[in-house]
Amino acid sequence: MRYLPLTDADRSSMLATIGVDSVDALFRDVPDHAKLPGKIAGLPDHMGELAVERHLSRLAAKNVTASTVPFFVGAGAYKHHVPASVDQILLRGEFLTSYTPYQPEVTQGTLQYLFEFQTQVALLTGMDVANASMYDGATGTAEAVLMAARVNKRNKVILSGGLHPHYREVVETTCGIMGMDIRAQAPDWKNAEDLAALLDAETSCVVVQTPSLFGHLRDFTALCDAAHAKGVMVIVVVTEVVSLGLLPSPGSMGADIVVCEGQSIGNGLNFGGPYVGLFATRDKFVRQMPGRLCGQTVDADGKRGFVLTLSTREQHIRREKATSNICTNSGLCALAFTIHLSLLGEQGLVGLARINHANAVTLADKLSGIKGVSVVNDGFFNEFTVKLPKKAAKIVSKLAAKDILAGVPVSRLYPDVEGLDDLLLIAATEINSVEDMDALVRGLEEVL
């Protein structure tokens, strides 16, 4: 980002233009408890450039990074190995652009990779058709809820207690403001909720997740049957897309819409974004699908070509007819996903998924041998929940001090819910070696 110097006169002019009398007035919507009063401790007002670089380097060196220590943090964002070849192909001038590809979007190269991306997503999810990517899994879930309401003209939404709470909050924010009746269930860490009993003639859709936030594997076939009998649509969310290399696809269970977070393939942790949302549905619902759809055709000479077949964005059709407010998408992230998955191939994805699961099983077995520690899951993919004899947040802090990033305390995701303090989410992927796992086990034994 460029440095843009400002004078007091510049600031006054801009504030006057937008109609506020101070910089503080710009941040009046930020709660007071989130604001840092006064100066930042240890950070002087003025310093030479070289001194600033050294100071910031020392501050940065205090961070414990995912790449330098044993790392078992998941909960919706997973650290996987991304081959160097992915980034090398992404750097090609045909792909890497600083601008949203509105104009390149009509070029054959862009349309072809979007077509291939859609094909990959449809095959992964077991659905008929996929769009050309969303921003991320959470916003894609909100779009799916809105789509379901367009299809069956109903207003009530049931959100599973196994759905990631950040996804729940995005749905509540996006769909709640549209007047939808959102019914979020309590955290389902025991995998015991009965969603079918909540469905009625007013329900538009039920949103579920597999593996759930707590790592439980779930078969939604019976739920889909019960929902369809009442005209309710089932939206299945997958936050760890590598799991689809081993687990039955949501399409095979009868899902109406499938939303995934695609970060795990081709994309790094990226400090929480940008990510890439995968979105797939049935043929009969395609005209209510948000975003855009690329198709293939032939030109006047019979040569294969690619075209933007369907786009429901307000840039392309009348605003009142638009079914999507997506202005652009995570195109480069989608391309990274496509490149990585192409390099893996079907067998490679299955192999990667097997390694993930095997590592998670090995780690769970090791942790179960620690006195007072128990794994709550009957089955899981690469992430599971453990019950600790002490508060998980304090344990995680103590392990971080030992350069081990042990996982995500459930209480961090549900700060207002009691009874979850001793639960810890732990993820293991192909990056975790036996030495990493042994370090976690030793560290946990020491701090308990």
Side-chain angles (χ1 to χ4, degrees):
M1 180 179 290
R2 289 185 301 159
Y3 172 63
L4 300 174
L6 295 175
T7 65
D8 290 341
D10 291 332
R11 292 190 183 89
S12 297
S13 176
M14 288 188 288
L15 292 172
T17 299
I18 60 178
V20 295
D21 56 6
S22 69
V23 174
D24 288 340
L26 293 175
F27 301 101
R28 65 186 178 187
D29 293 328
V30 178
D32 289 339
H33 68 267
K35 297 178 182 176
L36 183 65
K39 298 179 180 179
I40 300 175
L43 189 65
D45 290 337
H46 303 283
M47 189 181 280
E49 181 176 330
L50 180 59
V52 169
E53 287 181 2
R54 289 173 174 168
H55 183 76
L56 293 179
S57 296
R58 285 194 293 271
L59 292 178
K62 294 182 178 180
N63 289 327
V64 179
T65 67
S67 301
T68 56
V69 301
F71 184 82
F72 302 94
V73 179
Y78 301 90
K79 182 167 177 55
H80 291 280
H81 172 67
V82 180
S85 50
V86 174
D87 279 344
Q88 189 60 40
I89 296 174
L90 274 180
L91 289 174
R92 290 180 63 94
E94 303 94 317
F95 299 133
L96 191 61
T97 170
S98 60
Y99 187 64
T100 182
Y102 283 130
Q103 286 73 41
E105 155 175 292
V106 299
T107 65
Q108 288 300 291
T110 300
L111 290 170
Q112 180 177 344
Y113 89 68
L114 291 177
F115 181 82
E116 293 173 356
F117 170 83
Q118 294 170 179
T119 305
Q120 292 172 333
V121 174
L123 290 172
L124 273 174
T125 57
M127 301 297 282
D128 299 328
V129 59
N131 71 12
S133 93
M134 313 290 284
Y135 290 123
D136 55 27
T139 54
T141 302
E143 291 281 355
V145 170
L146 295 174
M147 174 179 159
R150 291 194 296 270
V151 171
N152 58 23
K153 312 298 183 187
R154 298 180 182 180
N155 196 47
K156 191 166 82 176
V157 180
I158 305 295
L159 302 182
S160 164
L163 180 68
H164 197 299
H166 294 171
Y167 286 49
R168 182 202 72 213
E169 291 172 3
V170 171
V171 170
E172 289 174 338
T173 300
T174 305
C175 304
I177 202 170
M178 304 291 284
M180 301 194 70
D181 180 9
I182 312 293
R183 309 282 180 92
Q185 303 306 299
D188 183 33
W189 67 275
K190 294 182 178 178
N191 199 28
E193 65 184 5
D194 180 10
L195 295 173
L198 304 176
L199 308 180
D200 56 27
E202 306 296 321
T203 308
S204 171
C205 64
V206 55
V207 184
V208 292
Q209 178 178 323
T210 184
S212 75
L213 171 75
F214 302 96
H216 299 297
L217 306 183
R218 312 171 93 182
D219 183 351
F220 296 118
T221 304
L223 176 64
C224 289
D225 291 341
H228 295 160
K230 296 182 178 180
V232 178
M233 298 183 70
V234 178
I235 299 170
V236 176
V237 173
V238 180
T239 59
E240 171 52 296
V241 70
V242 175
S243 68
L244 295 178
L246 278 184
L247 303 178
S249 69
S252 68
M253 302 178 193
D256 298 291
I257 305 173
V258 181
V259 179
C260 308
E261 173 51 65
Q263 170 266 323
S264 287
I265 298 181
N267 292 275
L269 288 172
N270 296 344
F271 296 98
Y275 286 170
V276 53
L278 318 182
F279 194 106
T281 188
R282 304 290 180 187
D283 270 338
K284 59 184 177 182
F285 304 131
V286 68
R287 289 195 171 276
Q288 294 299 333
M289 187 170 62
R292 55 190 174 167
L293 182 65
C294 294
Q296 65 173 336
T297 184
V298 293
D299 65 12
D301 298 323
K303 296 179 181 177
R304 186 191 190 205
F306 301 90
V307 294
L308 197 59
T309 305
L310 182 66
S311 183
T312 57
R313 298 184 299 179
E314 63 184 17
Q315 297 96 326
H316 295 152
I317 63 177
R318 285 181 295 167
R319 176 166 295 181
E320 62 271 22
K321 294 289 185 182
T323 58
S324 171
N325 58 8
I326 301 169
C327 296
T328 182
N329 69 337
S330 300
L332 202 64
C333 297
L335 178 57
F337 177 96
T338 303
I339 294 169
H340 191 182
L341 197 54
S342 299
L343 294 173
L344 283 170
E346 290 186 27
Q347 291 185 352
L349 178 63
V350 172
L352 177 62
R354 289 188 186 282
I355 295 171
N356 273 250
H357 181 57
N359 281 355
V361 170
T362 300
L363 180 59
D365 288 344
K366 288 175 179 286
L367 293 173
S368 297
I370 302 175
K371 184 179 179 181
V373 177
S374 60
V375 177
V376 305
N377 309 71
D378 293 328
F380 53 85
F381 173 59
N382 69 353
E383 188 167 24
F384 51 87
T385 302
V386 296
K387 193 173 181 60
L388 302 173
K390 297 180 180 178
K391 290 185 176 181
K394 291 186 177 179
I395 296 298
V396 167
S397 296
K398 291 181 178 178
L399 288 172
K402 294 176 174 291
D403 286 344
I404 300 170
L405 297 180
V408 179
V410 173
S411 60
R412 180 176 177 181
L413 299 171
Y414 295 99
D416 300 324
V417 180
E418 296 182 353
L420 305 177
D421 289 348
D422 57 353
L423 298 178
L424 177 64
L425 302 178
I426 296 179
T429 71
E430 74 280 2
I431 69 164
N432 295 118
S433 64
V434 173
E435 290 75 17
D436 289 343
M437 299 181 203
D438 290 342
L440 175 59
V441 172
R442 285 195 305 273
L444 194 54
E445 288 174 331
E446 290 171 3
V447 300
L448 284 179

